[in-house]
Amino acid sequence: PGAYTFAATLPDFDDGSDIDFTALTEGVAAVLQAGPTQPGTVDRAMRLDITAFDWQDKPVSDVPLEGVIVESFEPAEPTLFQAKPGRAGRHRFSIRSERAGNVVLEVVDPVTDTRLRVPLQFLPGKVRSVMILPAEDPRERPPFNQTRLDVVAADRYGNTVPNVDVEWDAPSGKCTPVAHGEGVSASAVYRFGRVPEVTVTAVVEGR
């Protein structure tokens, strides 16, 4: 069993061309099928199961499957992942990423060049740092007595953690939570009280 390459030639035709094609026998990977995936997090490895079948739909074990991220949210040095073979043609990858976002992993059998692309999603990890962005001067626009406050919570790799629960505290005035924009974890509008200068505290749940 194996993969064989053939060349077809048309000797009686001057304008004919040679054709190379590959034929796969039993016992080698002709089809790769990905198991169900769930979004992973940057804090731990994501498990991905790939099952290999031959051209007769029989499971093929011990295939030297390799994987590399071919589409990513940012340019990165390619990392080669090796699958561990299991039973009934199943092979398991452990994929890690320090950046949150969507990626595409291309799985290939280097023996038969059988390929499969699998979309994966990595979510941010646990909140490790919190920062309030510089606030706009309330005198820049009406009603001149309020400003917007934006909080960025990040995991240990610097990924922004969205939609965190924040407890706002100010000695004077009032903070009203509002919808936050992209790249921000939480937002509020602070309306000044009688004290002209205050320190606002934002406490993220779990920190």
Side-chain angles (χ1 to χ4, degrees):
Y4 299 89
T5 301
F6 298 88
T9 306
L10 299 174
D12 298 332
F13 296 89
D14 295 336
D15 57 349
S17 60
D18 295 342
I19 300 176
D20 294 335
F21 62 94
T22 301
L24 305 179
T25 65
E26 297 87 348
V28 296
V31 177
L32 301 177
Q33 180 178 317
T37 61
Q38 298 292 332
T41 65
V42 297
D43 290 334
R44 62 185 63 183
M46 177 190 294
R47 292 181 177 178
L48 173 64
D49 289 334
I50 302 293
T51 304
F53 300 91
D54 65 14
W55 70 278
Q56 292 184 328
D57 292 331
K58 295 180 180 179
V60 182
S61 300
D62 297 322
V63 179
L65 294 181
E66 301 174 346
V68 65
I69 293 177
V70 293
E71 294 182 18
S72 178
F73 33 81
E74 65 176 20
E77 291 295 327
T79 300
L80 184 66
F81 299 95
Q82 303 280 354
K84 293 183 178 180
R87 297 180 179 179
R90 182 173 299 176
H91 302 72
R92 173 162 292 181
F93 283 95
S94 294
I95 310 298
R96 288 187 176 273
S97 174
E98 294 184 358
R99 307 306 303 172
N102 298 318
V103 301
V104 174
L105 180 77
E106 184 172 57
V107 180
V108 59
D109 173 11
V111 176
T112 64
D113 199 39
T114 302
R115 297 173 180 265
L116 175 68
R117 290 196 172 194
V118 184
L120 304 174
Q121 182 183 26
F122 287 92
L123 303 177
K126 296 180 180 180
V127 175
R128 292 289 184 246
S129 63
V130 180
M131 176 179 61
I132 298 180
L133 299 181
E136 182 183 53
D137 189 336
R139 293 171 294 183
E140 293 293 332
R141 66 182 69 192
F144 307 112
N145 66 340
Q146 66 182 35
T147 188
R148 182 185 180 93
L149 301 176
D150 294 319
V151 166
V152 176
D155 63 20
R156 61 175 176 169
Y157 299 113
N159 300 296
T160 300
V161 182
N163 305 321
V164 298
D165 293 326
V166 175
E167 181 179 338
W168 301 90
D169 181 61
S172 177
K174 182 180 180 181
C175 284
T176 303
V178 296
H180 64 82
E182 186 177 356
V184 177
S185 304
S187 299
V189 171
Y190 172 70
R191 178 164 293 183
F192 287 83
R194 296 183 178 180
V195 180
E197 185 174 320
V198 297
T199 298
V200 177
T201 303
V203 179
V204 175
E205 183 177 343
R207 288 294 295 159

